[in-house]
Amino acid sequence: MTSQTPIEYLRSQDERHIEDLLEYARIPSVSAQSQHAEDLQKAAHWIANRCRHAGLTVDIHETPTHPIVVARTPNPEPGKPTFLVYGHYDVQPPEPFELWTSPPFEPRREGRNVYARGISDNKGQHLAHINAIEAWLQFGQPLPCNITLLIEGEEEVGSTSLLKFLPEHAQELACDAVVISDNGIPSLKHPTLTYALRGIAAIEIRVDGPDRDLHSGIFGGSLDNPAMVLCQMLAQMRDTKGRITVPGLYEDVQKLSAYERRQMAKLPSNPDKYRRFLGVPQLFGEKGFTPEEQRTARPTFEINGLTSGYQGEGSKTIIPSWASAKITLRLVPDQEPRKIIAAVKKHLQRLCPKTVRLTVRHGHGGKPYLVDPTGPLAQAALRAIQAGFGCEALLAREGGSIPIVSAFKEHLGADSLLIGMALPDDNPHSPNEKLSLDAYAAGMRMSVHLWEELAAAMA
Ligand SMILES: [Zn+2]
């Protein structure tokens, strides 16, 4: 034990933290490829050992596939709040190898970046937390809270084992909040707390007409065309200004508060650069909202796939027998997937003419997610981010969803604080993945402050 403060200790360990990171990134823990099963074991044991060295007590839970590592701060005190840090030691496949500047599992340091598969998603991000917790444990004063680390090896392939593990071990994983660092921030100068995720509702629509494709010359004009009917129905689901026209769809949409809009407006934005990045001639979106708000805080109705009739070479003069469309809606708090699907179905039935038969099949649904950004835990996280990164912490919403967040809410009853350390050019899931060592260091400082801030917020 030393008298160094956790922040001073972190600084004194700078080089070792980088060496640890390189060593961890050398393990090719690719969960999607069975030839790497042993490497997954190796990665689980590597991170378990790292946790032990940090002063944590560790359990390795075997599963039918890859182990789940649970580490805890020693001598948990029932009077103190408990926080759970989630991470994953598995990585995406590195292919195609030829697009990598250097081999994916031979970490390459270049300036303040390190290139390796899995270094940003997610090895560096949870290692930063472990380094910060170690800094606390070597300090003369007790940690202000209990911390449990939960590190799995199947995130990139659907977290099957963890989703079974969570309800079975809910008691021992009980916590006041979950901290997840597995996402990105716009820049080192714009560190963010992600406080909301969109949900999803999927449906498949099929319109059936004649029992076979028919000659459009002999029969055309005397019966309806299923492809045309489907297009006409779909065209009435959203107006040309981007507003969904399904009755009741916006009923449960939570309004963005003035505070949220003010915070979101501080995120870096360049509509023209964004337009060029998307490769479209012009941006499109609901009036009265910024592109950032449109893609994270508003519901959407998207046609993902449209199928009907003949699509081969040349022409084929038919009235197709059927037409179908795959649809997903992105949902925002407090929309309920089931209620939304029912509303869409009802609208489709109302629009469908009697000349065809309509079938609507339900696909998967996922609820949107929101942590009150003005609540004590979110505000505590913002203070820790600000202290760690040395600049104002902003609020952001994510347009997609992170399924594990809903699982933590369902099985542990706990909210998740999403505090990313990845930068937009980190290339997760792509060749030349990298981690910024400045983000890594800022993430560690943030984590040191986080435990104090979160504990104080719960007091
Ligand atoms: Zn990840």
Side-chain angles (χ1 to χ4, degrees), residues 86-88 90 120-123 125 155-156 181-183 428-429:
Y86 165 83
H88 62 92
D90 66 324
S120 172
D121 178 15
N122 172 256
K123 286 174 173 172
Q125 298 199 53
E155 196 272 343
E156 305 293 3
S181 296
D182 194 15
N183 62 311
H429 299 212

mmCIF file of all heavy atoms in Angstrom, residues 86-88 90 120-123 125 155-156 181-183 428-429, ligand 1:
data_model
loop_
_atom_site.group_PDB
_atom_site.id
_atom_site.type_symbol
_atom_site.label_atom_id
_atom_site.label_comp_id
_atom_site.label_asym_id
_atom_site.label_seq_id
_atom_site.Cartn_x
_atom_site.Cartn_y
_atom_site.Cartn_z
ATOM 1 N N TYR A 86 -19.402 -4.195 -16.725
ATOM 2 C CA TYR A 86 -19.525 -5.249 -17.728
ATOM 3 C C TYR A 86 -18.496 -5.053 -18.843
ATOM 4 O O TYR A 86 -18.243 -3.924 -19.269
ATOM 5 C CB TYR A 86 -20.945 -5.236 -18.322
ATOM 6 C CG TYR A 86 -21.049 -6.028 -19.606
ATOM 7 C CD1 TYR A 86 -21.225 -7.405 -19.584
ATOM 8 C CD2 TYR A 86 -20.935 -5.394 -20.848
ATOM 9 C CE1 TYR A 86 -21.288 -8.138 -20.764
ATOM 10 C CE2 TYR A 86 -21.004 -6.121 -22.037
ATOM 11 C CZ TYR A 86 -21.182 -7.495 -21.985
ATOM 12 O OH TYR A 86 -21.242 -8.211 -23.152
ATOM 13 N N GLY A 87 -17.926 -6.143 -19.316
ATOM 14 C CA GLY A 87 -17.025 -6.073 -20.472
ATOM 15 C C GLY A 87 -16.964 -7.420 -21.157
ATOM 16 O O GLY A 87 -17.545 -8.404 -20.679
ATOM 17 N N HIS A 88 -16.289 -7.496 -22.318
ATOM 18 C CA HIS A 88 -16.135 -8.793 -22.982
ATOM 19 C C HIS A 88 -14.727 -8.960 -23.529
ATOM 20 O O HIS A 88 -14.154 -8.032 -24.100
ATOM 21 C CB HIS A 88 -17.195 -9.000 -24.072
ATOM 22 C CG HIS A 88 -17.165 -8.014 -25.203
ATOM 23 N ND1 HIS A 88 -16.444 -8.240 -26.344
ATOM 24 C CD2 HIS A 88 -17.774 -6.817 -25.369
ATOM 25 C CE1 HIS A 88 -16.616 -7.215 -27.173
ATOM 26 N NE2 HIS A 88 -17.414 -6.324 -26.609
ATOM 27 N N ASP A 90 -13.927 -11.404 -25.704
ATOM 28 C CA ASP A 90 -13.904 -11.954 -27.065
ATOM 29 C C ASP A 90 -13.852 -10.819 -28.076
ATOM 30 O O ASP A 90 -14.193 -9.678 -27.767
ATOM 31 C CB ASP A 90 -15.113 -12.875 -27.324
ATOM 32 C CG ASP A 90 -16.444 -12.151 -27.304
ATOM 33 O OD1 ASP A 90 -16.607 -11.212 -26.490
ATOM 34 O OD2 ASP A 90 -17.336 -12.503 -28.102
ATOM 35 N N SER A 120 -9.996 -1.930 -28.923
ATOM 36 C CA SER A 120 -10.977 -0.906 -28.537
ATOM 37 C C SER A 120 -12.282 -1.590 -28.131
ATOM 38 O O SER A 120 -12.928 -1.210 -27.157
ATOM 39 C CB SER A 120 -11.197 0.037 -29.731
ATOM 40 O OG SER A 120 -12.257 0.914 -29.481
ATOM 41 N N ASP A 121 -12.658 -2.599 -28.901
ATOM 42 C CA ASP A 121 -13.890 -3.374 -28.658
ATOM 43 C C ASP A 121 -13.505 -4.789 -28.266
ATOM 44 O O ASP A 121 -13.416 -5.654 -29.105
ATOM 45 C CB ASP A 121 -14.746 -3.348 -29.931
ATOM 46 C CG ASP A 121 -16.020 -4.162 -29.801
ATOM 47 O OD1 ASP A 121 -16.375 -4.508 -28.674
ATOM 48 O OD2 ASP A 121 -16.641 -4.457 -30.835
ATOM 49 N N ASN A 122 -13.231 -5.078 -26.984
ATOM 50 C CA ASN A 122 -13.543 -4.239 -25.843
ATOM 51 C C ASN A 122 -12.423 -4.307 -24.820
ATOM 52 O O ASN A 122 -12.552 -3.820 -23.707
ATOM 53 C CB ASN A 122 -14.898 -4.721 -25.290
ATOM 54 C CG ASN A 122 -15.308 -4.112 -23.984
ATOM 55 O OD1 ASN A 122 -15.217 -4.761 -22.939
ATOM 56 N ND2 ASN A 122 -15.691 -2.867 -24.021
ATOM 57 N N LYS A 123 -11.278 -4.899 -25.196
ATOM 58 C CA LYS A 123 -10.238 -5.198 -24.208
ATOM 59 C C LYS A 123 -9.735 -3.949 -23.483
ATOM 60 O O LYS A 123 -9.652 -3.922 -22.262
ATOM 61 C CB LYS A 123 -9.088 -5.961 -24.873
ATOM 62 C CG LYS A 123 -9.460 -7.419 -25.190
ATOM 63 C CD LYS A 123 -8.384 -8.138 -25.983
ATOM 64 C CE LYS A 123 -8.730 -9.631 -26.123
ATOM 65 N NZ LYS A 123 -7.813 -10.329 -27.037
ATOM 66 N N GLN A 125 -11.098 -1.086 -23.051
ATOM 67 C CA GLN A 125 -12.089 -0.341 -22.273
ATOM 68 C C GLN A 125 -12.352 -0.966 -20.900
ATOM 69 O O GLN A 125 -12.496 -0.252 -19.911
ATOM 70 C CB GLN A 125 -13.388 -0.197 -23.075
ATOM 71 C CG GLN A 125 -13.193 0.595 -24.371
ATOM 72 C CD GLN A 125 -14.492 1.125 -24.931
ATOM 73 O OE1 GLN A 125 -15.256 1.785 -24.241
ATOM 74 N NE2 GLN A 125 -14.768 0.844 -26.189
ATOM 75 N N GLU A 155 -19.798 -11.937 -26.403
ATOM 76 C CA GLU A 155 -20.570 -10.747 -26.786
ATOM 77 C C GLU A 155 -20.729 -10.651 -28.299
ATOM 78 O O GLU A 155 -21.780 -10.272 -28.799
ATOM 79 C CB GLU A 155 -19.904 -9.482 -26.243
ATOM 80 C CG GLU A 155 -20.820 -8.255 -26.260
ATOM 81 C CD GLU A 155 -20.788 -7.470 -27.570
ATOM 82 O OE1 GLU A 155 -19.848 -7.656 -28.378
ATOM 83 O OE2 GLU A 155 -21.703 -6.670 -27.789
ATOM 84 N N GLU A 156 -19.671 -11.003 -29.017
ATOM 85 C CA GLU A 156 -19.702 -10.846 -30.475
ATOM 86 C C GLU A 156 -20.521 -11.943 -31.156
ATOM 87 O O GLU A 156 -20.681 -11.928 -32.378
ATOM 88 C CB GLU A 156 -18.270 -10.815 -31.036
ATOM 89 C CG GLU A 156 -17.345 -9.752 -30.427
ATOM 90 C CD GLU A 156 -17.754 -8.314 -30.752
ATOM 91 O OE1 GLU A 156 -18.792 -8.114 -31.398
ATOM 92 O OE2 GLU A 156 -17.027 -7.398 -30.327
ATOM 93 N N SER A 181 -18.552 0.218 -20.629
ATOM 94 C CA SER A 181 -17.725 1.015 -21.537
ATOM 95 C C SER A 181 -17.472 0.152 -22.760
ATOM 96 O O SER A 181 -16.507 -0.603 -22.819
ATOM 97 C CB SER A 181 -16.414 1.409 -20.856
ATOM 98 O OG SER A 181 -16.681 2.248 -19.743
ATOM 99 N N ASP A 182 -18.373 0.201 -23.703
ATOM 100 C CA ASP A 182 -18.280 -0.630 -24.910
ATOM 101 C C ASP A 182 -18.895 0.137 -26.077
ATOM 102 O O ASP A 182 -19.523 -0.439 -26.950
ATOM 103 C CB ASP A 182 -19.012 -1.959 -24.677
ATOM 104 C CG ASP A 182 -18.680 -2.996 -25.752
ATOM 105 O OD1 ASP A 182 -17.696 -2.798 -26.492
ATOM 106 O OD2 ASP A 182 -19.417 -3.998 -25.845
ATOM 107 N N ASN A 183 -18.717 1.442 -26.053
ATOM 108 C CA ASN A 183 -19.278 2.269 -27.127
ATOM 109 C C ASN A 183 -18.368 3.463 -27.346
ATOM 110 O O ASN A 183 -17.304 3.559 -26.741
ATOM 111 C CB ASN A 183 -20.712 2.691 -26.782
ATOM 112 C CG ASN A 183 -20.789 3.527 -25.530
ATOM 113 O OD1 ASN A 183 -20.229 3.182 -24.498
ATOM 114 N ND2 ASN A 183 -21.471 4.643 -25.609
ATOM 115 N N PRO A 428 -13.883 -0.516 -34.974
ATOM 116 C CA PRO A 428 -14.295 -1.789 -34.390
ATOM 117 C C PRO A 428 -14.966 -2.632 -35.473
ATOM 118 O O PRO A 428 -15.651 -2.087 -36.341
ATOM 119 C CB PRO A 428 -15.297 -1.374 -33.308
ATOM 120 C CG PRO A 428 -15.806 -0.043 -33.745
ATOM 121 C CD PRO A 428 -14.672 0.618 -34.485
ATOM 122 N N HIS A 429 -14.768 -3.922 -35.439
ATOM 123 C CA HIS A 429 -15.339 -4.863 -36.422
ATOM 124 C C HIS A 429 -14.741 -4.685 -37.822
ATOM 125 O O HIS A 429 -15.153 -5.364 -38.754
ATOM 126 C CB HIS A 429 -16.882 -4.773 -36.522
ATOM 127 C CG HIS A 429 -17.586 -5.095 -35.241
ATOM 128 N ND1 HIS A 429 -18.829 -5.683 -35.191
ATOM 129 C CD2 HIS A 429 -17.224 -4.917 -33.946
ATOM 130 C CE1 HIS A 429 -19.195 -5.839 -33.921
ATOM 131 N NE2 HIS A 429 -18.241 -5.373 -33.154
HETATM 132 ZN ZN ZN B 1 -18.016 -4.699 -27.811
#
